[in-house]
Amino acid sequence: MSEKKLGELYKKFLAVANTEGEDAARKFLTDHFSDFPEDIQSKITSAFFEESLQDEALEKKQITGIQTEALDAMSQLEKMKRVLEDALRIKNLQSELSS
């Protein structure tokens, strides 16, 4: 690919990225992937792969956070249950003793 064609392709990419946003820029890269030289194709692939890994790591971190919060809530509910059960036992014992 000549530098002129590559330059034109890059200008089109920048125009899309600057006017239409990130999603349109991604679509441009995937739609025109084969138009780029192999070394740039490799960089595009690496960038998409890295981004995918980061997204997956973030998702796992969020899931872990939700699971931790759920476990904390369950622990608090179990403590509350024991307090209520103890209060009920005390009330029942007081009722039995006063009978």
Side-chain angles (χ1 to χ4, degrees), residues 35-63:
D35 297 338
F36 288 98
E38 286 185 23
D39 62 323
I40 294 177
Q41 288 178 2
S42 177
K43 290 177 183 178
I44 293 169
T45 302
S46 294
F48 282 150
F49 181 70
E50 181 181 336
E51 182 179 45
S52 177
L53 288 177
Q54 289 173 346
D55 290 347
E56 185 177 338
L58 177 60
E59 185 179 308
K60 286 182 180 183
K61 184 177 180 182
Q62 291 170 337
I63 289 170

Side-chain angles (χ1 to χ4, degrees), residues 63-87:
I63 289 170
T64 300
I66 291 168
Q67 289 172 333
T68 300
E69 289 176 12
L71 288 173
D72 289 345
M74 288 172 56
S75 175
Q76 292 298 320
L77 288 171
E78 187 62 35
K79 289 177 186 176
M80 291 169 60
K81 178 183 173 189
R82 284 193 298 260
V83 167
L84 290 173
E85 287 172 343
D86 289 347

Side-chain angles (χ1 to χ4, degrees), residues 87-99:
L88 183 60
R89 276 192 217 108
I90 291 170
K91 184 177 179 183
N92 287 341
L93 283 173
Q94 288 173 336
S95 178
E96 288 176 17
L97 290 174
S98 64
S99 300

